[in-house]
Amino acid sequence: MIDLSKLNSEQKKVVTSTEGPVLVLAGAGSGKTRSVIYRTAYLIHEKNVSPWNILVVTFTNKAARELRDRLENTFNISTHSLWIGTFHSVCTRILRYEQEHLHFDSNFSIYDEVDQKSVFKKIYKKLQIDPDKFPIGRVRNIISRQKNNLILPELFFKYNERNYYSEIVAEIYSTYQKFLLDNNALDFDDLLMYTAILFYDNQKIRKKYEEKFKYIMIDEYQDTNYAQFKIINLIAQNHQNLCVVGDDDQAIYSWRGANIRNILNFEKDYKNVLTIKLELNYRSPESILKLANDLIKHNDERHPKELRTKIISKEKPELAILENENGEAEFVVDEISRLRSKNENLNECVILYRTNAQSRVFEKSFFHRKIKYQIVGGINFYQRKEIKDIIAYLRILVNPADSESLLRIINFPVRGIGKKTIEKIVDYGLNNKYSFFESLQNSGKNNFLNLSSKRKISDFLSKINEWREKSESLPITDLIKMIIDDIHLMKIHDFSDDPKDISRVENIREFIAAATEFSDNFSAETGNEPLLTDYLQNISLQTDLDHVDENEESVKLMTMHNAKGLEFDHVFIVGLEDGLLPHSRSIENEKDLQEERRLFYVAVTRAKKTLILSYTRSRRTFDKIDYPLPSRFIAELDENLYLKKELHIEIDFKFNIRTESPIKPVLESQKYYKVGQKIAHQKFGKGVILNVDGRGNDAKLTISFANGQLKKIMGSYVKVL
């Protein structure tokens, strides 16, 4: 018998309601992971469901690992035959199994964002497309949206308007897909799209997985896109034993294709849905939850719910108002220094911001105060050049058709196969419809290369073949070490005093350590030695959050998006200004504005003990200083729910001089200008004062002009009417 005494009544309901469709609306910090783990164990131990008949889809690889570990440690359940993983890892596994029904081989490469950009640059050059008129990032996003909506290149104009711009995008999309197939490669969106299409087109395969996955659980359902919805719907629509867990108040990924309608419409998509709300929060004190509830109630695209808790704290959230971004950074670092002096762990301190660019001033302050910090969501470890080089060698051993990887390493390290030689080989392949690898294999039989080039290519191919043979028997770590030794990769960087080279050596060593760790974990989980394809799949599906170093004590800096699913004792949410949060691109659209509010809600509900919010009166943007308005979300909050303080902090890093003084509030009666006064400006005409910042006639005024413009102007430049 499974002991359910540690669960609350609603969690027990989630665990024991195993038949039919179940919608679990799990508020932040409400113990949804525990509910999913217990539900899985309950199915196996109490309902005698075979582990291989259960599919559990998580949002991150880290969540999948945690779920496996807790099932094994708490319930002594072997997870070898359980299907637990992200949508991408599950779909990769299915596509490799069902290769005979697909138009690519099971040893396909998975291209990440860096690989994609490289391919797009080649396509732009081939099609003579101006990247200024058709920015690669924007076009990639459009193509990603098509794939998420299961729109293949040949169907592009069935669902998109035809015009000059869309015709170019369609041509890029078509060329890109052909390149991927020619190289036996898929990108992340392909993994979902081809799985959904396979299930839709092939009734036999759909039936196979419908019978295999008799019980399905999906975590973070609010963040699923159409392709993910379709994959699950196709295999669950008959038995309907589908439990989805999510929170529409935390739906923050529409920009990458997620559709909040999936969770809002779940009760319409399935029959006789049981809806369970998890509203008891185990993370945050009541003071923080009151603020969170007060914020999110302004959204109307949501299932009504209100977080509650038994945790009581005397400390209210704080709102700090600073003069500028440097003062804001110094204030936050001061607070963290104070926490450290009380023996608080730096790992429990996080700074959350809307955009990555905001981290710079905090990094500067931490550097000067000699406090360790870590940016989460910087360059992914596996996307660093030296690591990408090793991965390219490994990819070629599994998938010789991957010309992108082959071009990366054919002359790295330098082996005398220059650009002109490569161009000749590429041309030869195009003329004879050979892949790049096939062209290399045939280059010795032709006269377009000199003897020296032929010999170098022959040596290169011999080495590739030798490694490929070794890969069939050597453990992954030994194979990686062999390749690194054979190409003298360590020696290239080892004898340099350049900090970048020293860092590259450290990264290569870390890569070897990571491969060893993967092999050990894989063997423990499956009872088998991993194949090279298993390792390549694992590293292709890694995310930034899988590389947070939890061993080194340091303050964490990250965007609010990256904070999803995490929790910290002390949370600092900075830059709460209109234009940052809500973001300038979202202000004009109510739907986008609601997502920005949800993003703020997610940030607030990360806090376990203390929450400090902040905004600045001025902020340097590019080459000018802006005077932003406080975030409109702050104005929505009940002022009784937080403590407000204004500070003036000036820093001169050159001389390390710092002055600080609290700002005494200026009463309205003491101000020269008043809110609501009518004024006139020589250039902008007549207007009304909305806000007064300062006491005298040189106060900074926020004015709404009759022509619709909103301006911040010094009082000395206006005339009171």
Side-chain angles (χ1 to χ4, degrees):
M1 283 285 290
I2 289 182
D3 180 11
L4 302 181
S5 62
K6 293 181 180 179
L7 306 181
N8 65 42
S9 59
E10 297 306 305
Q11 290 173 330
K12 288 176 185 175
K13 200 172 180 181
V14 173
V15 171
T16 57
S17 303
T18 58
E19 308 305 307
V22 180
L23 171 62
V24 182
L25 295 169
S30 62
K32 69 181 177 69
T33 304
R34 170 181 282 192
S35 300
V36 171
I37 291 167
Y38 270 79
R39 193 175 195 272
T40 307
Y42 187 85
L43 283 168
I44 295 169
H45 282 325
E46 303 296 334
K47 292 291 184 176
N48 297 316
V49 177
S50 298
W52 52 84
N53 291 139
I54 299 172
L55 170 65
V56 184
V57 181
T58 60
F59 188 62
T60 64
N61 297 307
K62 185 178 179 182
R65 285 196 299 271
E66 181 186 352
L67 207 153
R68 285 182 184 277
D69 290 345
R70 286 170 69 174
L71 282 171
E72 290 179 351
N73 297 332
T74 307
F75 299 102
N76 198 28
I77 292 173
S78 172
T79 60
H80 290 179
S81 55
L82 256 174
W83 279 57
I84 301 175
T86 63
F87 266 106
H88 291 101
S89 64
V90 168
C91 289
T92 301
R93 198 169 165 185
I94 291 170
L95 293 175
R96 293 203 194 278
Y97 282 161
E98 308 301 340
Q99 69 165 90
E100 60 183 291
H101 303 285
L102 301 164
H103 48 289
F104 43 83
D105 295 336
S106 64
N107 60 347
F108 57 81
S109 298
I110 301 174
Y111 279 8
D112 61 20
E113 188 177 333
V114 175
D115 300 318
Q116 285 180 281
K117 285 180 181 177
S118 177
V119 174
F120 270 88
K121 286 177 183 177
K122 290 181 175 66
I123 291 171
Y124 273 47
K125 186 176 180 180
K126 177 184 176 183
L127 300 179
Q128 297 182 318
I129 293 171
D130 184 352
D132 292 329
K133 293 180 180 177
F134 296 87
I136 288 176
R138 183 179 177 187
V139 172
R140 275 182 59 248
N141 287 338
I142 293 172
I143 291 173
S144 176
R145 289 292 180 96
Q146 305 308 307
K147 293 184 178 187
N148 287 337
N149 286 298
L150 309 182
I151 301 171
L152 291 162
E154 56 268 28
L155 299 173
F156 187 85
F157 288 113
K158 184 177 178 180
Y159 299 96
N160 294 277
E161 181 184 342
R162 185 183 288 271
N163 54 45
Y164 170 72
Y165 195 93
S166 65
E167 284 181 349
I168 299 297
V169 171
E171 186 179 15
I172 295 169
Y173 183 16
S174 180
T175 308
Y176 174 61
Q177 284 308 100
K178 185 178 183 305
F179 183 96
L180 290 176
L181 292 176
D182 287 346
N183 286 270
N184 195 36
L186 277 66
D187 64 24
F188 279 73
D189 296 315
D190 287 329
L191 297 172
L192 305 176
M193 180 176 73
Y194 286 128
T195 304
I197 291 173
L198 175 67
F199 285 170
Y200 184 81
D201 288 344
N202 194 313
Q203 187 177 356
K204 183 180 177 182
I205 296 297
R206 181 170 70 248
K207 190 74 175 171
K208 170 185 171 181
Y209 285 95
E210 179 186 311
E211 291 176 354
K212 178 177 179 59
F213 300 134
K214 294 177 181 177
Y215 292 87
I216 301 172
M217 283 176 273
I218 312 294
D219 194 12
E220 304 289 3
Y221 193 66
Q222 77 281 352
D223 293 325
T224 54
N225 58 34
Y226 178 71
Q228 292 164 331
F229 162 81
K230 205 65 189 171
I231 289 166
I232 297 305
N233 182 257
L234 284 166
I235 59 174
Q237 60 186 345
N238 286 332
H239 61 63
Q240 298 223 351
N241 290 330
L242 171 62
C243 174
V244 301
V245 183
D247 182 7
D248 37 53
D249 290 337
Q250 297 185 70
I252 58 173
Y253 292 112
S254 69
W255 50 275
R256 67 182 189 196
N259 188 350
I260 193 174
R261 307 312 309 179
N262 288 349
I263 192 167
L264 293 177
N265 293 340
F266 186 80
E267 289 148 313
K268 297 176 183 176
D269 294 327
Y270 296 90
K271 298 174 183 176
N272 302 315
V273 172
L274 172 64
T275 301
I276 304 168
K277 294 182 182 181
L278 299 182
E279 297 172 295
L280 182 59
N281 179 285
Y282 294 92
R283 176 187 297 156
S284 309
E286 186 180 40
S287 57
I288 291 174
L289 293 187
K290 280 183 176 180
L291 187 141
N293 288 330
D294 194 50
L295 169 70
I296 203 63
K297 72 182 183 184
H298 293 277
N299 273 10
D300 52 31
E301 274 201 329
R302 62 189 295 258
H303 288 92
K305 70 188 86 67
E306 187 158 314
L307 295 177
R308 63 185 192 280
T309 185
K310 296 177 181 177
I311 305 170
I312 305 298
S313 171
K314 293 180 181 179
E315 290 190 64
K316 282 186 178 182
E318 292 182 12
L319 173 64
I321 304 165
L322 289 307
E323 281 298 303
N324 53 45
E325 71 273 20
N326 286 313
E328 182 179 47
E330 194 68 5
F331 162 72
V332 170
V333 175
D334 259 359
E335 290 294 312
I336 290 172
S337 295
R338 184 179 60 79
L339 289 167
R340 187 171 63 167
S341 70
K342 294 181 178 180
N343 295 319
E344 292 281 344
N345 192 322
L346 290 181
N347 285 333
E348 289 296 334
C349 300
V350 67
I351 301 173
L352 302 179
Y353 36 74
R354 178 62 178 85
T355 65
N356 279 307
Q358 290 170 256
S359 72
R360 182 190 61 81
V361 288
F362 294 96
E363 292 183 68
K364 183 169 67 174
S365 290
F366 282 127
F367 175 78
H368 283 279
R369 303 283 282 277
K370 294 181 172 57
I371 297 175
K372 287 187 176 181
Y373 66 91
Q374 182 182 2
I375 295 179
V376 178
I379 297 175
N380 186 309
F381 176 78
Y382 292 103
Q383 291 182 350
R384 291 167 181 164
K385 182 194 177 300
E386 60 276 13
I387 305 304
K388 290 283 287 183
D389 290 336
I390 303 171
I391 292 171
Y393 274 100
L394 298 176
R395 277 180 171 178
I396 289 303
L397 305 187
V398 171
N399 180 20
D402 185 354
S403 61
E404 193 64 22
S405 294
L406 196 51
L407 284 166
R408 184 181 187 97
I409 53 99
I410 189 171
N411 200 38
F412 178 82
V414 176
R415 51 176 60 91
I417 304 174
K419 192 174 180 181
K420 288 184 178 179
T421 301
I422 293 170
E423 286 174 355
K424 288 178 182 178
I425 297 167
V426 170
D427 289 340
Y428 172 72
L430 290 172
N431 292 332
N432 294 276
K433 296 185 177 179
Y434 286 151
S435 70
F436 187 52
F437 190 75
E438 290 170 333
S439 300
L440 286 174
Q441 289 178 312
N442 287 290
S443 59
K445 304 173 186 176
N446 296 281
N447 298 322
F448 64 86
L449 296 178
N450 59 41
L451 286 173
S452 175
S453 296
K454 288 180 180 179
R455 179 176 50 77
K456 290 168 184 171
I457 290 170
S458 176
D459 290 345
F460 173 69
L461 290 175
S462 296
K463 210 66 191 167
I464 294 290
N465 289 330
E466 179 189 336
W467 291 327
R468 185 181 296 144
E469 287 176 15
K470 293 285 187 184
S471 71
E472 294 175 5
S473 57
L474 268 184
I476 290 169
T477 306
D478 292 344
L479 176 66
I480 292 170
K481 285 180 180 177
M482 174 185 278
I483 293 172
I484 290 170
D485 288 343
D486 286 354
I487 63 176
H488 308 295
L489 190 56
M490 286 293 206
K491 289 181 181 178
I492 293 171
H493 306 301
D494 231 353
F495 295 105
S496 170
D497 293 325
D498 188 332
K500 288 182 180 178
D501 284 326
I502 295 170
S503 177
R504 287 186 179 118
V505 170
E506 290 170 352
N507 288 336
I508 292 167
R509 288 180 179 141
E510 179 60 28
F511 182 75
I512 295 169
T516 306
E517 183 182 352
F518 167 80
S519 298
D520 293 344
N521 290 340
F522 188 93
S523 299
E525 288 175 9
T526 66
N528 300 314
E529 285 297 316
L531 301 172
L532 183 54
T533 50
D534 296 319
Y535 182 57
L536 288 174
Q537 174 179 316
N538 173 264
I539 59 180
S540 294
L541 300 177
Q542 293 286 305
T543 66
D544 294 332
L545 295 181
D546 293 314
H547 304 292
V548 178
D549 186 351
E550 296 175 347
N551 296 317
E552 182 180 34
E553 187 179 338
S554 60
V555 181
K556 303 297 182 276
L557 286 77
M558 66 184 78
T559 65
M560 297 176 191
H561 283 101
N562 275 335
K564 178 76 180 296
L566 305 178
E567 59 182 27
F568 300 87
D569 285 349
H570 309 288
V571 173
F572 299 84
I573 305 175
V574 300
L576 289 175
E577 299 138 29
D578 265 16
L580 283 176
L581 188 77
H583 196 274
S584 56
R585 294 181 181 178
S586 305
I587 286 175
E588 303 300 324
N589 183 296
E590 179 58 30
K591 188 177 177 182
D592 294 340
L593 202 58
Q594 291 206 24
E595 179 152 331
E596 292 288 298
R597 192 180 284 111
R598 291 194 293 268
L599 186 59
F600 187 17
Y601 175 82
V602 166
V604 167
T605 53
R606 300 310 95 197
K608 293 165 67 178
K609 292 182 180 177
T610 64
L611 173 66
I612 296 181
L613 316 173
S614 63
Y615 69 84
T616 66
R617 297 180 181 279
S618 66
R619 185 175 295 274
R620 185 174 293 278
T621 309
F622 299 111
D623 58 347
K624 68 180 192 302
I625 294 177
D626 285 337
Y627 297 93
L629 289 170
S631 170
R632 63 193 66 193
F633 300 147
I634 292 175
E636 295 172 354
L637 297 172
D638 182 344
E639 289 189 357
N640 294 314
L641 297 178
Y642 59 85
L643 297 174
K644 185 176 179 180
K645 60 182 179 182
E646 300 186 42
L647 293 168
H648 181 74
I649 300 175
E650 292 183 357
I651 311 100
D652 186 338
F653 284 116
K654 184 177 178 181
F655 298 104
N656 210 24
I657 298 171
R658 179 178 181 283
T659 61
E660 175 181 345
S661 60
I663 296 178
K664 294 178 181 177
V666 180
L667 300 176
E668 291 299 317
S669 60
Q670 296 174 315
K671 293 181 179 179
Y672 181 85
Y673 291 101
K674 314 292 182 191
V675 172
Q677 271 184 326
K678 294 181 179 179
I679 56 88
H681 185 273
Q682 189 173 1
K683 180 178 178 182
F684 301 111
K686 294 180 179 180
V688 177
I689 297 174
L690 300 182
N691 188 60
V692 180
D693 185 2
R695 189 191 301 259
N697 65 354
D698 59 348
K700 186 167 61 185
L701 309 178
T702 303
I703 303 170
S704 174
F705 287 97
N707 60 9
Q709 289 183 299
L710 192 68
K711 295 287 182 182
K712 285 183 178 288
I713 295 174
M714 299 295 288
S716 51
Y717 290 98
V718 303
K719 179 182 178 183
V720 177
L721 296 178

